[in-house]
Amino acid sequence: MNAGMTQDAMEASTGEALITLLEKYDVDVVFGIPGVHTAELYRGLAGSKVRHVTPRHEQGAGFMADGYARVSGKPGVCLVITGPGLTNTITAMAQARADSVPMLVISGVGRRGSLGHGRGALHELPDQRAMMASFALFSHTLLSASDLPGVMARAFAILNSGRPGPVHIEIPVDVMQERVAALPARVPALPSNPHPGRGDLEAAARLLSEARRPAIIVGGGARRANDDVTALAERLDAPVVTTANARGLLAGHPLRVPASPSLKAVRAFLAECDAVLALGTEMGPTDFDVYEDGGFPTLKGLVRVDIDAGQLARGPRAEMAILGDARATAAELCGALGAAKIGGERRGEDMARRLRAAAFEEIGDAYRGEVAILDAIRETLPGALFVGDSTQPVYAGNLYCDIDTPAGWFNSATGFGALGYGVPAAIGAAIADPDRLVVALLGDGGLQFSLAELGSAIDAGTPVIFIVWNNFGFREIETFMIERGIAPEGVKPTPPDFDSVAKAYGLAFERPMKLSDLPASLRRARDSGRAALIELRMPFDM
């Protein structure tokens, strides 16, 4: 036996070796639907510590992995069959790529000798790996079982450093049946993320400390940096604007501005600042130019911090571009500030208070009504995690909403913008943190993309509260068409009777008729101890 190899891994099957390696990389759950093309990969699962969760559709597996990863901070892992199983997962992988979510998708593929020949084998694609390589951070075909440890090491190095996203490994069905001679006793250490140099930190600290009117913008890359961002904001007395994927940072803090940079009030404020620190945000249009008016201003004294060098070269031009992890850089900036004198009379808390009021006023009556629903949920279920699909209350919340806990808000309405995300992502989130209450915000149209996953919530024992905003169709699209003089077609898919759907799957059900009834419905749903469906049928009495 080779030095450093474990005796119990001698002559393991590829599937057994795969599960053993997943355990070594601290994977505790995988999402997938088994098939004859992946059955061998399941060989080692039953005797392992890895939990398997079965969705109703492979897209659901991907979205569950996404929600799990965002909450746990670990990669979400999927096992799917070759061909349709993998193509069903692509939408979820694309959402993960857009939102920088670490996801490992392990799929089957045909026998090595069949690849590229186009003979009509079951589930065959012309070039499955090439298709995945077009958007995955890394895609690899395992041509020999002996290569598995090295390929897994490379995959997890990519998943745990730099800007995360989806990674794909495909295993031919004949390789699945090979034996792996031995596995390493320990997996390689994961690489660390880049840290900025002292010169950059000192220059950024000097620029920010000398400014008379600084501000901070935080994105999803800083969602786990609450304490460090808070300390930095307090040291600079700077208002903090949180994008949708950072919402919940500085919860309750007087320097928080939980409002979109697409709002005119926020843009005007940022344009008047003489220094802006952007932490972990790609500064992309789904956060910074929702209305596609091209009106986001040129920022003076812009310092961008991002973990991806390529991203620093895109978007607004910065006076300083710092390659580094947002959390570590925020902490190190605080240290670099030291005892530096902070310039001007900043009155950061007063500016933040006035900006919160102006942004809330700007979103208009309809969105303020939907934010009132979000506030009612937050006040009734403090500390709940909000997971959203693309629907009106989510659009409203992405523009403005106060969330009472860091990393307490995420949805698919930014970036790739997939429908059908909310139900499975909420299940994945609940599996990642079973002690936390999860609320899923859904539209009746989007819910029907993944309606069957309500049954997966029951199977997985996740007591998610699913809230469906039922306006009997795709109301946003209908309004968009009407406003542009287009006769609306295809915008009225008939929703099911949600009461009957809940009964069919075994969910608790509530249908409050007005906002004042919602808190009691939420409490009953929570106290049921099982997954629950709450329908808000339009028009809803506010």
Side-chain angles (χ1 to χ4, degrees):
M1 184 173 69
N2 293 333
M5 300 298 180
T6 56
Q7 181 66 47
D8 60 355
M10 294 293 289
E11 294 299 320
S13 72
T14 301
E16 290 167 332
L18 174 67
I19 301 303
T20 298
L21 286 168
L22 289 175
E23 287 183 310
K24 290 178 181 292
Y25 283 105
D26 196 29
V27 172
D28 52 17
V29 60
V30 297
F31 304 92
I33 301 174
V36 296
H37 286 76
T38 52
E40 281 294 333
L41 299 182
Y42 281 71
R43 186 174 291 279
L45 196 58
S48 75
K49 298 177 182 178
V50 179
R51 176 184 179 185
H52 185 274
V53 175
T54 308
R56 298 303 194 266
H57 189 282
E58 287 92 354
Q59 179 175 279
F63 285 147
M64 287 179 189
D66 177 301
Y68 173 89
R70 295 196 201 216
V71 173
S72 70
K74 302 192 297 185
V77 180
C78 301
L79 285 178
V80 298
I81 66 166
T82 184
L86 184 58
T87 56
N88 284 345
T89 315
I90 284 178
T91 297
M93 295 177 72
Q95 184 75 47
R97 177 66 183 258
D99 286 349
S100 304
V101 176
M103 180 187 299
L104 173 61
V105 176
I106 301 168
S107 77
V109 72
R111 294 179 177 275
R112 283 169 293 188
S114 73
L115 299 182
H117 289 289
R119 295 172 180 146
L122 183 63
H123 301 329
E124 185 178 50
L125 286 165
D127 191 337
Q128 180 172 282
R129 197 206 64 79
M131 176 184 68
M132 304 307 294
S134 68
F135 65 93
L137 299 180
F138 168 61
S139 180
H140 183 87
T141 305
L142 188 74
L143 295 177
S144 172
S146 62
D147 293 335
L148 181 62
V151 172
M152 292 286 280
R154 186 176 175 189
F156 276 89
I158 293 169
L159 288 164
N160 286 279
S161 62
R163 185 180 182 184
V167 166
H168 169 241
I169 298 171
E170 63 180 16
I171 305 177
V173 291
D174 53 330
V175 175
M176 293 179 194
Q177 299 173 25
E178 289 184 351
R179 312 299 291 180
V180 179
L183 293 176
R186 293 179 300 278
V187 295
L190 297 174
S192 59
N193 281 312
H195 283 257
R198 180 176 294 276
D200 283 344
L201 289 167
E202 291 175 349
R206 185 163 53 251
L207 187 154
L208 293 166
S209 64
E210 292 175 356
R212 298 187 61 83
R213 191 182 173 99
I216 300 173
I217 306 172
V218 290
R223 61 185 288 123
R224 300 184 187 280
N226 184 68
D227 292 348
D228 298 298
V229 173
T230 300
L232 181 59
E234 291 174 345
R235 180 73 180 87
L236 294 171
D237 192 19
V240 179
V241 176
T242 54
T243 68
N245 281 324
R247 203 60 55 78
L249 288 177
L250 278 80
H253 197 285
L255 287 172
R256 79 197 185 284
V257 182
S260 170
S262 292
L263 294 174
K264 293 178 181 177
V266 178
R267 289 175 168 186
F269 165 75
L270 293 172
E272 293 171 359
C273 293
D274 56 350
V276 177
L277 173 64
L279 281 168
T281 171
E282 66 178 354
M283 303 188 80
T286 55
D287 269 316
F288 287 75
D289 196 16
V290 169
Y291 300 109
E292 299 182 339
D293 59 11
F296 189 77
T298 299
L299 301 181
K300 297 181 286 291
L302 175 61
V303 179
R304 290 191 66 186
V305 177
D306 202 282
I307 205 167
D308 180 4
Q311 191 58 46
L312 288 171
R314 296 187 284 268
R317 184 175 179 179
E319 185 167 328
M320 287 191 66
I322 298 176
L323 181 66
D325 172 75
R327 181 177 183 177
T329 303
E332 291 173 16
L333 265 176
C334 266
L337 284 165
K341 183 179 179 180
I342 302 300
E345 295 180 5
R346 300 193 170 187
R347 303 188 306 278
E349 293 183 6
D350 181 57
M351 288 190 290
R353 176 184 55 79
R354 287 187 280 113
L355 182 51
R356 288 195 300 271
F360 186 66
E361 178 65 24
E362 183 183 335
I363 65 174
D365 289 341
Y367 274 165
R368 282 196 296 272
E370 289 154 18
V371 170
I373 293 173
L374 301 178
D375 288 344
I377 299 169
R378 172 175 52 82
E379 291 164 6
T380 306
L381 307 173
L385 169 63
F386 290 77
V387 181
D389 213 312
S390 292
T391 188
Q392 293 299 129
V394 170
Y395 303 144
N398 280 350
L399 286 177
Y400 187 100
C401 69
D402 243 341
I403 299 299
D404 63 0
T405 183
W409 172 273
F410 65 82
N411 55 76
S412 62
T414 63
F416 197 58
L419 276 170
Y421 173 87
V423 175
I427 295 169
I431 290 170
D433 189 352
D435 295 327
R436 188 174 187 182
L437 186 61
V438 177
V439 174
L441 303 172
L442 318 160
D444 61 295
L447 173 54
Q448 291 182 80
F449 275 51
S450 55
L451 190 68
E453 302 299 355
L454 293 174
S456 301
I458 296 296
D459 289 349
T462 50
V464 177
I465 298 177
F466 301 100
I467 300 178
V468 56
W469 180 265
N470 185 4
N471 56 21
F472 297 87
F474 300 129
R475 182 65 58 84
E476 182 204 17
I477 307 303
E478 181 181 13
T479 301
F480 182 91
M481 296 173 79
I482 291 171
E483 288 176 348
R484 284 155 182 77
I486 303 168
E489 291 286 349
V491 294
K492 292 290 188 181
T494 302
D497 176 3
F498 287 112
D499 188 358
S500 298
V501 167
K503 290 177 180 175
Y505 281 117
L507 281 73
F509 181 77
E510 296 278 340
R511 185 185 286 138
M513 302 307 295
K514 55 184 183 295
L515 182 58
S516 59
D517 294 337
L518 180 57
S521 291
L522 289 167
R523 286 190 289 268
R524 285 193 293 268
R526 177 198 61 198
D527 295 344
S528 73
R530 56 193 168 118
L533 182 62
I534 296 178
E535 179 187 8
L536 306 183
R537 180 175 289 186
M538 301 303 111
F540 188 68
D541 186 357
M542 303 298 294

